[in-house]
Amino acid sequence: METLTLEKEVESQTLVRFPDCDPFNHLNNSKYIDYIINAREDQLLKYYDIDIHKMVKETGLTWVVAQNNISYIVPAEIMETVTIQTRLLSFNEKTLLLEALMWDKDKTIIKAVMWSKQAHYNLQTKRSHQHSDEFMDFFKSIHYPLPDNMLFDERVKSLKQQNIRQWKQAI
């Protein structure tokens, strides 16, 4: 992790696949989490050169999900390309709070929002583990909090209002 100007909000795209959909051809609720976690893993490697699999093999350290809050706003549909955008909302010596937004391809309509609290974890001791100074510096460089320490439900409400404004402009 070099001292560079790093992106604070990163994104990638993926295609909603048939086996991940329900009978209504919407992405199954549990699959949103899979898509978001996979996107974040890819983004860590692409944007920050952090290979979490290499890290766990070499150090025994990783992050485990402690809590997810997710709101499904508009269904993601079969064979639709979605954009997944992530950012680090907050961090401390042992945990991270990530936000992920799933958008349509063109980032005009928000499909879902998820906040994921992740604990730094030592697989050898099977206990939470303090972040290194290097990681703390890295987190400071990519930290991108919401204004006014917004809570999850407030964030969902604001995103729904944003969608409504987008729909009205499209009419």
Side-chain angles (χ1 to χ4, degrees):
M1 290 175 285
E2 300 173 21
T3 307
L4 301 171
T5 302
L6 299 173
E7 297 289 327
K8 292 185 178 207
E9 199 166 48
V10 295
E11 64 186 53
S12 54
Q13 292 186 329
T14 193
L15 188 63
V16 174
R17 298 296 183 167
F18 171 77
D20 299 331
C21 292
D22 63 21
F24 302 106
N25 291 325
H26 298 153
L27 186 60
N28 186 292
N29 287 7
S30 67
K31 292 297 182 176
Y32 281 82
I33 296 170
D34 292 343
Y35 278 46
I36 289 167
I37 295 293
N38 289 335
R40 184 62 181 179
E41 178 184 334
D42 294 344
Q43 294 163 2
L44 286 172
L45 190 57
K46 177 180 177 180
Y47 290 94
Y48 308 127
D49 196 31
I50 296 175
D51 183 336
I52 60 173
H53 299 288
K54 181 179 175 185
M55 186 178 92
V56 76
K57 284 179 187 175
E58 292 177 357
T59 67
L61 299 174
T62 190
W63 289 270
V64 295
V65 175
Q67 179 182 25
N68 284 329
N69 291 321
I70 188 165
S71 183
Y72 309 98
I73 298 172
V74 175
E77 298 180 356
I78 192 169
M79 297 307 291
E80 176 182 8
T81 298
V82 293
T83 301
I84 299 172
Q85 186 177 51
T86 66
R87 70 200 251 179
L88 179 63
L89 292 180
S90 65
F91 65 97
N92 63 34
E93 52 280 338
K94 290 190 176 182
T95 64
L96 306 173
L97 180 62
L98 303 169
E99 177 181 74
L101 299 177
M102 182 183 286
W103 296 83
D104 64 348
K105 181 179 181 178
D106 300 321
K107 289 178 32 185
T108 56
I109 302 298
I110 298 167
K111 305 284 185 167
V113 57
M114 183 173 96
W115 284 9
S116 182
K117 181 179 179 183
Q118 301 189 356
H120 198 43
Y121 191 77
N122 185 316
L123 292 172
Q124 295 161 344
T125 65
K126 299 190 180 356
R127 297 194 183 279
S128 64
H129 190 84
Q130 195 159 343
H131 289 120
S132 67
D133 291 341
E134 181 182 22
F135 270 124
M136 292 299 283
D137 290 342
F138 168 67
F139 300 147
K140 287 175 191 168
S141 72
I142 65 164
H143 183 220
Y144 191 17
L146 293 173
D148 302 324
N149 294 318
M150 189 180 285
L151 300 174
F152 183 75
D153 288 341
E154 296 168 324
R155 180 66 166 155
V156 171
K157 183 179 179 181
S158 74
L159 293 171
K160 286 180 178 180
Q161 290 170 344
Q162 182 177 331
N163 272 356
I164 291 168
R165 285 191 299 273
Q166 288 289 89
W167 286 325
K168 286 181 179 179
Q169 290 176 356
I171 296 176

